[in-house]
Amino acid sequence: IAPRKDMQFLLHDWLNVENLYRHLRGNDDVNRDLIDAILEEGAKFAENEIAPLNQSGDVGCVFDKGEVKTPKGFKEAYIKYVEGGWPSLPADESLGGQGLPNSIAVVISEIIGAANWSWSMYPGLSHGAIHTLTAHGTEDQKAKFLTKLVSGEWTGTMCLTESHCGSDLGTLRSKAEPNSDGSYNITGTKIFISAGEHDLTENIVHIVLARLPGAPQGTKGISLFIVPKYLPAADGSVGARNGVACGSIEHKMGINGSATCVINFDNAKGFLLGEPNRGLNSMFVFMNAARIGTALQGICHAEASFQGALEYARDRTAMRSLSGPKFPEKEADSIIVHPDVRRMLLTQKVFAEGGRGLCYYLGTLTDFEHSVLPAEEKAEAEELMAFLTPIAKAFLTEVGYEAANHGVQIYGGHGYIREWGMEQIVRDARIATIYEGTTGIQALDLLGRKVLMTQGKLLRLFTKKIHVFCKENAHNSAVKSLVNALSAANKEWGDVTTRIGMLAMKEREEVGGAAYDYVMYSGYVTLAFIWAQLAVVAHKKLALNDGDADFYRSKIAAAQFYFQKILPRTQMHKACIESGVESLMTLSEDQFGFY
Amino acid sequence: IAPRKDMQFLLHDWLNVENLYRHLRGNDDVNRDLIDAILEEGAKFAENEIAPLNQSGDVGCVFDKGEVKTPKGFKEAYIKYVEGGWPSLPADESLGGQGLPNSIAVVISEIIGAANWSWSMYPGLSHGAIHTLTAHGTEDQKAKFLTKLVSGEWTGTMCLTESHCGSDLGTLRSKAEPNSDGSYNITGTKIFISAGEHDLTENIVHIVLARLPGAPQGTKGISLFIVPKYLPAADGSVGARNGVACGSIEHKMGINGSATCVINFDNAKGFLLGEPNRGLNSMFVFMNAARIGTALQGICHAEASFQGALEYARDRTAMRSLSGPKFPEKEADSIIVHPDVRRMLLTQKVFAEGGRGLCYYLGTLTDFEHSVLPAEEKAEAEELMAFLTPIAKAFLTEVGYEAANHGVQIYGGHGYIREWGMEQIVRDARIATIYEGTTGIQALDLLGRKVLMTQGKLLRLFTKKIHVFCKENAHNSAVKSLVNALSAANKEWGDVTTRIGMLAMKEREEVGGAAYDYVMYSGYVTLAFIWAQLAVVAHKKLALNDGDADFYRSKIAAAQFYFQKILPRTQMHKACIESGVESLMTLSEDQFGFY
């Protein structure tokens, strides 16, 4: 069930997107009524069409002679998705899109992803192709491919990984040989291609990383190519089959409804996208967007697991409360009375709802790019996004996985049984800390590129916002303890960063040694900032007697819980950072294990 | 691969079991040569016969018309297991056992469990039945059932859980009606019965919890019954089929090779075991043993995942070390050069090897019961065991699951693919924090029953041992920093406990609010004690130039890592304990979620 109340609270009461959109777009075409109507329609679509396919889709796809059959109902739901106009929500009107803010598309992605993550990956994978084509495609390429992707008639993929290289794309080997007509012959094998082959659409547009003849070694010799499964005919319809074949699909731990394909390119006809050898740079265009998409996965699974666990915790009875029976009419108390069950539920809740806040905030930052605002305001939003994206991706997928596991734990033995659906959430969630750059890669991106390489500029941009918030609320007695704790954590964040910077000047490995703890530390402080803000808003609404008092009390209690039971994790990460890299590097490669 | 070197280091260099057994048994019949020979045979058996069935067994069991077919090869391996005399290792010679120390059986259980946890559950589940029958069976019951279980000809189960009650056995409903011949008719349905039905042996002996007519409500009205699948004939062989039927098997997240059964008892003939209405008390006999068995699961999966991840981290290449190429001859460096990969590998290593130490130490405590020692020494060992068992069960299964997840993470995308085996370890490990009493139940057992109800007596027994160790090593410069940190943590453990005790006097819910953090806190301190001891031994051996210097250096480095990167987690748990239960209890049942 899409938590509409929470979504509206975040969008309207906290982010005040109606005002923001007016400011960004220079008009009032996207107002609250429109937003709420889209949200309601999206929720209904997800709940009625997509969610019912989640558990049945776990049987997985079937691969037969190069073709992939998606689980029962996936295709019918996709047709309705296209008919409903959902793929084109944020795209430019010139491309047939609806020109709505991307931050609304983020909300819809979350609603659909929470209903059925595997299904959502088919339309989801198109985003990368759409972004790349929008930024770098020629007019002809846009006409041929982009409009079809925007309408959802075709889907797209990103073909990066090869069997020997995932994070380290510099060593990839796929080749592009120029043809006399300006096209290229692409040859190579890509693995882990989500939505690489399926039966939902008549055509699939692959965006492929490959090397031109004589290209420089490493990441500076990679180019991007458009390689469709079927070449478009002159009239734009599907033409001749291209040299693209699905070799097999993977059997995975989870997200079984999503086809993960080996795609073989055998002299497939491809079209250069953007400049030669600048492929990785062109990719950065959509990297942030894709990572926000994966950060969403963390909260989708946290929310789904929370909803399941909450229902169970209310229904299931076991033992009596330590302070005396709470449901004397029952044989035993509902397990929601037990503090340890509450601890797990509240942990799920603060990650799901706080993480949602972070993703929505990031969503609004993506809207700045296409706004009417001056360049410096756009640049600041871009910098904030560059800083927060690796935090959101790493942190929210890690804690989303934790939340999913709490759901299984609350169910006890029943959580481990497939029938109940809770273990599927864990299996589906497990991939999120790995793909689109592992937690370790995000951590290095944050600490190395975003923090140390900018001499802390991006960090200061964000901590200043926290500082201003704390100052503004310094005399707000309702949130005093939260603001004090946030202010201390904010100062400590800077100190910890300085400390790493100093260690790294002596020993470069310190960056790698501290990165994981740093990204998690940063995540906990960032989420504390979100929760403190939500508590301020909830207190205000409560004082105004405006809305559902229980809802606001729930927010305030969750914020309290976050500060008391979750934020202390920063102390563990701080201690690990401060103890330095030495204990990680002592052992030689041979000294780890003895068998 | 069974890590023989580590096992021998723990048994001989640290625990000095040869001396201990002489002391406990009053003779020298179990010497180092014998122990090492058993260990080597057990390792070979596990590696050659059991491990090869682990991945193939993941297809699961097949249920058809009340019968369960175990995965291919399981039965053949079980026959060899019985032929090898493995089931009878620790049992008394009067029962046809080999009369070896139980601590050696613990090592063999670990070796076999690490090779294939699902398979190991079939012989593993017999232990509960064996313990209960040994303690409470009549001579006739022992002759009929126990000898068959000891030899492994039959297996046993424990039938506790019903669909509406797992942790809370007080509400169970299965009934026992007395017959005129002194037997009982058992009727009821039990769920989650591991090894409840299978094709490995000709008979299965169920130990069933049920209520006698007019029995008191709650846990004081539960009795134990022996209910065999087939009633023994007069000559001891398999006789008439009893009213016991497997209704179905569960489809689970993992341990698929292990059949988890619904068992229907329909006027099945049963035999009262022990005194009427004292069933739960009789169960406590084997509860500790079963929980040590499940604690082992944590280290089995940590070890298996570590071995897989270590091999991959040495082979797989990606990017260059931040401090310059380490494998310049390769296209990229092996990922084991990266600090973050090392962090995960070392985390797996300290949990697997330190946890192994804790389990072996617990194993030696189980040997005191049947020793020649005076009653007070036996009582002390029993108290230590009572204190440490919930810590070992809760903590080692939690960190074992963490370790299993690190293995997937180190493999990156390949970790998520079934073929590579790493995700199976995660799925198999997930149940360990749930069955045999969830982490929450263990936590309450530790904090409520073992610590607060004894006014801290059991805790002091253990912290005194830590104190003595710290004092003895106060001037050992090689381990100074570890000993100082351990000493501080040990003192803090007492302080934290006192603090909870004071909070609990005002508000009983504080116990439930603190229990999880307390058991994890206790686990981290306990493992610190183990690692400090191992470091002392390793330094000694290194100084004596006795053995493989690299092995001892590995131990010392792992201990350093543990103290610098893992032990700081206590600070997070301490902060959560000290913030009290209030933030957990604020919300009413209705205020958790709003949909």
Side-chain angles (χ1 to χ4, degrees), chain A residues 10 57 68 197 202 285 305 386 406 461 476 479 485 505-506 577:
Chain A
L10 293 172
V68 171
E197 176 61 31
E202 57 176 10
V285 168
S305 186
H406 288 312
L461 196 61
N476 183 344
V479 291
M505 279 193 284
K506 279 192 284 191
I577 289 167

Side-chain angles (χ1 to χ4, degrees), chain A residues 202-216:
Chain A
E202 57 176 10
N203 202 5
I204 300 169
V205 180
H206 303 284
I207 308 291
V208 183
L209 296 190
R211 290 183 184 284
L212 290 167

Side-chain angles (χ1 to χ4, degrees), chain B residues 20-50:
Chain B
L20 179 71
Y21 294 154
R22 200 176 298 134
H23 181 61
L24 292 173
R25 299 162 73 90
N27 64 41
D28 59 359
D29 63 344
V30 183
N31 59 27
R32 179 167 180 155
D33 285 349
L34 176 63
I35 296 164
D36 287 352
I38 296 171
L39 213 150
E40 184 57 35
E41 285 309 306
K44 274 191 208 156
F45 175 71
E47 289 160 6
N48 298 332
E49 307 293 341
I50 309 298

Side-chain angles (χ1 to χ4, degrees), chain A residues 352-576:
Chain A
E353 297 178 5
R356 178 174 299 122
L358 177 55
C359 287
Y360 288 9
Y361 175 60
L362 273 169
T364 62
L365 291 178
T366 65
D367 289 331
F368 277 69
E369 190 188 344
H370 301 288
S371 72
V372 298
L373 298 183
E376 52 276 28
E377 284 189 54
K378 291 186 184 185
E380 188 187 293
E382 200 185 321
E383 287 185 325
L384 274 173
M385 194 164 69
F387 175 71
L388 290 172
T389 298
I391 296 176
K393 198 283 178 183
F395 176 74
L396 293 181
T397 59
E398 292 282 346
V399 300
Y401 185 59
E402 180 191 330
N405 273 291
H406 288 312
V408 167
Q409 193 72 19
I410 290 167
Y411 266 70
H414 296 92
Y416 198 66
I417 307 299
R418 293 195 164 219
E419 180 188 353
W420 293 82
M422 300 304 285
E423 60 84 38
Q424 185 188 342
I425 304 176
V426 170
R427 288 186 291 107
D428 288 353
R430 184 62 191 88
I431 189 61
T433 67
I434 297 173
Y435 60 13
E436 285 301 332
T438 62
T439 300
I441 295 287
Q442 304 296 330
L444 275 181
D445 179 46
L446 173 69
L447 181 56
R449 294 189 64 225
K450 307 292 171 61
V451 173
L452 297 179
M453 272 173 66
T454 69
Q455 272 89 42
K457 185 188 166 203
L458 304 195
L459 171 67
R460 282 192 301 276
L461 196 61
F462 189 61
T463 54
K464 198 178 162 191
K465 286 190 183 292
I466 300 180
H467 179 71
V468 169
F469 166 82
C470 290
K471 226 170 145 182
E472 280 169 5
N473 289 281
H475 305 291
N476 183 344
S477 61
V479 291
K480 201 175 169 188
S481 67
L482 305 191
V483 168
N484 285 346
L486 176 63
S487 180
N490 196 38
K491 184 185 170 305
E492 193 186 72
W493 196 1
D495 296 343
V496 165
T497 309
T498 308
R499 167 99 177 129
I500 299 173
M502 286 171 62
L503 286 170
M505 279 193 284
K506 279 192 284 191
E507 168 59 63
R508 292 213 58 193
E509 298 288 3
E510 292 285 354
V511 178
Y516 164 78
D517 285 298
Y518 188 77
V519 78
M520 294 305 290
Y521 180 100
S522 303
Y524 287 116
V525 179
T526 301
L527 217 63
F529 181 35
I530 305 281
W531 271 112
Q533 292 175 77
L534 301 185
V536 166
V537 176
H539 274 294
K540 259 185 217 157
K541 299 297 260 183
L542 208 51
L544 292 168
N545 210 355
D546 175 16
D548 182 349
D550 272 351
F551 178 84
Y552 300 126
R553 288 200 192 99
S554 177
K555 284 286 169 205
I556 292 163
Q560 291 284 359
F561 170 84
Y562 184 86
F563 274 80
Q564 294 206 357
K565 303 291 187 189
I566 304 294
L567 189 58
R569 297 183 186 185
T570 53
Q571 296 316 295
M572 156 182 85
H573 291 299
K574 178 170 172 269
C576 288

